[in-house]
Amino acid sequence: MAGNCPVPFSSFSKLSLLVFINLILYPFTEGQTSGFSTHLIHRDSPKSPLYNPSDSNYERLHEAFHRSFARAQYFNKRISHSRSKLLSHFSSDSIQSNITSVNGEYLIKVSIGTPAVDVLAIADTGSDLTWIQCRPCIRCFKQDAPLFDPSKSTTYEQVLSCRAPLCRLDPGITVCYPGNICGYGVAYGDNSFSDGDLATDTFTFESSSGGNISIANVAFGCGHENGGIFGVTSSGIVGLSRGALSIIRQLNASIAGKFSYCLTPRNSYISSKIHFGTHAVVSGPGVVSNTLFKKAGDKFYYLDLIGFSVGNVTIRNQGFTKLDNSSPNDGGNVVLDSGATLTYVPRQMYENFETGVIDLTTGTRVPDPGTGANFRLCYNKYSNLQFPEIVAVFSDADLIIPPNNIFVEVSKGVVCSTIVPTDGTPILGNLLQINFLIGYDLVNGMVSFLPTDCTKNH
């Protein structure tokens, strides 16, 4: 086991995109039929173990804005994963689960090993490898739950060879330790990191429909050196990206590249859900579907956002990369992300968006009330406030965004737009996604949105 902390790797330019193929890696255990669903819990929800009733809703929101800016750095800092270069010596069924949010905003409960040990981890569409903190711990962040002890699991298996197929799936993450032992090293733009052994074990999910679903031989990182801005309730990360070692790719044979989630409002006593497989298909009246793009070298989920329509005025995509003649295998200009709270658009486009909203909104503008986010578009809630209809215009179909998904009361009597300008990577954050059932179909390269009440219809 190497004793040095890992050097951050590139979130965008250094991670090589592996072609999406039907890898039959880890079958479901006997008895599973059509998959399952499980709960997603927002860190600020009253159901979250991180919920502090002494904090006001506004205080929780302000903290979420700060985490969102740190999250945006994860996409913007194109830092190199030089540690891998230094250490490496080798050149349709359904599941449904629940998610709760920490720094990545949503958490998911999973049990690992035999006997099973409960773990609460960040569910992250922007991360590849699933990893948790493990014994022995050389360096770990504080967590409330006991550390996972692989020596006590009868189904735990460390990947002992750097030549093993698992160790070759994602050379941007896996490393080779002295003695030909396969490990991993991951780091993020906010300087969080994890370093440890690549291994497999049985993962058990609590199905929201009752009972448990166990999946054998799931590859994950057993972290012995970990650090960063993780909460004491979280034990690690569940990777939901396109990466070859993500849960989505590992379960591909059983879920046919399909998963979906439905995010409830932040202060809801009802948890959100995440679905995998046939139950994740989003269809029917009111569904809006768009091409889900891949971007060479990245493992994130991209859409082609043409712009926003404010009232009857369309704000075009100045500042976005044009996608003329692009294909689903190379393109996209905005990341669809479950971990960022805010929505970030190019600065030039934001200026026009802001002008359009000001022209068509009735109400009294006020300054940012000290959120720390420096919102530019804020209004007095009690000044006969009325907003124009706002529509996200995508390459294939338009999506009407409810006002509450954009204009949020950030302080008593003050409502601000949570669409903000950026000079970095454009991101569609989770506030914009609330009360939409959002389905990812990686086989057909589509993402679908169905407006719904996620507290009832998910």
Side-chain angles (χ1 to χ4, degrees), residues 74-126:
Y74 169 54
F75 294 98
N76 296 335
K77 286 188 178 180
R78 307 188 179 193
I79 47 186
S80 65
H81 189 201
S82 55
R83 184 170 195 280
S84 289
K85 289 186 176 181
L86 291 171
L87 296 178
S88 179
H89 297 294
F90 53 83
S91 30
S92 213
D93 289 326
S94 62
I95 312 168
Q96 179 179 316
S97 184
N98 292 336
I99 295 180
T100 307
S101 170
V102 190
N103 297 309
E105 296 308 305
Y106 289 89
L107 296 174
I108 186 169
K109 181 182 177 182
V110 60
S111 300
I112 300 177
T114 307
V117 175
D118 290 345
V119 170
L120 198 60
I122 299 168
D124 190 0
T125 56

Side-chain angles (χ1 to χ4, degrees), residues 41-48 51 57-65 67 101 105-106 263-270 272 340-342 408 430-431 434:
I41 305 168
H42 193 282
R43 65 161 294 143
D44 292 335
S45 163
K47 297 196 67 170
S48 168
Y51 182 78
N57 183 51
Y58 306 125
E59 290 172 322
R60 286 188 285 270
L61 263 177
H62 297 177
E63 288 300 315
F65 299 149
R67 291 192 304 270
S101 170
E105 296 308 305
Y106 289 89
L263 304 183
T264 58
R266 302 170 55 84
N267 58 355
S268 174
Y269 283 87
I270 305 298
S272 304
T341 300
L342 304 174
V408 175
N430 57 51
L431 282 179
I434 288 174

Side-chain angles (χ1 to χ4, degrees), residues 15-28 93 95 124-125 127-130 165-166 168-171 173 205 215-220 238-259 274-277 292 294-295 297-301 329 440-444:
L15 285 179
S16 299
L17 178 65
L18 301 179
V19 177
F20 186 81
I21 55 177
N22 293 329
L23 294 175
I24 303 177
L25 292 177
Y26 308 110
F28 292 114
D93 289 326
I95 312 168
D124 190 0
T125 56
S127 291
D128 306 326
L129 181 68
T130 294
L166 271 179
R168 291 173 169 269
L169 274 181
D170 197 335
I173 292 177
F205 294 87
I215 307 167
N217 303 318
V218 175
F220 73 108
V238 174
L240 300 172
S241 77
R242 294 181 183 271
L245 287 171
S246 75
I247 289 291
I248 302 302
R249 288 289 296 276
Q250 290 193 55
L251 302 185
N252 183 57
S254 298
I255 69 174
K258 296 178 177 63
F259 73 100
I274 184 169
H275 315 260
F276 301 89
L292 191 61
K294 300 177 185 177
K295 207 171 189 61
D298 292 346
K299 301 178 182 179
F300 307 112
Y301 300 107
N329 292 323
Y440 297 70
D441 183 345
L442 305 189
V443 173
N444 295 307

Side-chain angles (χ1 to χ4, degrees), residues 245-437:
L245 287 171
S246 75
I247 289 291
I248 302 302
R249 288 289 296 276
Q250 290 193 55
L251 302 185
N252 183 57
S254 298
I255 69 174
K258 296 178 177 63
F259 73 100
S260 67
Y261 53 75
C262 201
L263 304 183
T264 58
R266 302 170 55 84
N267 58 355
S268 174
Y269 283 87
I270 305 298
S271 61
S272 304
K273 284 191 175 66
I274 184 169
H275 315 260
F276 301 89
T278 54
H279 291 173
V281 175
V282 177
S283 61
V287 169
V288 172
S289 297
N290 280 282
T291 300
L292 191 61
F293 288 88
K294 300 177 185 177
K295 207 171 189 61
D298 292 346
K299 301 178 182 179
F300 307 112
Y301 300 107
Y302 284 90
L303 293 174
D304 182 11
L305 181 64
I306 302 301
F308 285 98
S309 173
V310 181
N312 58 357
V313 177
T314 299
I315 311 300
R316 304 296 295 179
N317 66 343
Q318 295 96 332
F320 278 131
T321 301
K322 293 191 68 172
L323 292 179
D324 296 341
N325 301 318
S326 64
S327 73
N329 292 323
D330 184 19
N333 56 23
V334 61
V335 176
L336 183 60
D337 181 40
S338 66
T341 300
L342 304 174
T343 288
Y344 300 85
V345 300
R347 190 168 300 276
Q348 182 180 357
M349 178 184 174
Y350 175 82
E351 301 291 345
N352 295 331
F353 171 81
E354 182 180 277
T355 298
V357 171
I358 292 172
D359 288 345
L360 296 175
T361 297
T362 62
T364 302
R365 289 188 67 191
V366 295
D368 181 291
T371 63
N374 296 318
F375 292 124
R376 290 173 36 175
L377 198 54
C378 299
Y379 287 87
N380 182 332
K381 177 183 178 182
Y382 306 108
S383 60
N384 192 28
L385 187 58
Q386 291 185 328
F387 294 109
E389 181 179 77
I390 296 178
V391 179
V393 181
F394 294 105
S395 54
D396 298 318
D398 299 345
L399 183 66
I400 298 174
I401 309 297
N404 289 342
N405 286 31
I406 298 175
F407 300 99
V408 175
E409 187 172 7
V410 301
S411 185
K412 185 172 178 58
V414 178
V415 175
C416 296
S417 168
T418 57
I419 295 178
V420 298
T422 183
D423 295 316
T425 302
I427 301 170
L428 296 181
N430 57 51
L431 282 179
L432 208 71
Q433 302 175 43
I434 288 174
N435 282 331
F436 284 101
L437 178 59

Side-chain angles (χ1 to χ4, degrees), residues 147-176:
L147 295 176
F148 178 73
D149 188 345
S151 68
K152 294 183 179 180
S153 173
T154 61
T155 47
Y156 177 88
E157 291 188 19
Q158 187 176 345
V159 179
L160 296 177
S161 172
C162 296
R163 298 184 181 276
L166 271 179
C167 203
R168 291 173 169 269
L169 274 181
D170 197 335
I173 292 177
T174 53
V175 298
C176 191

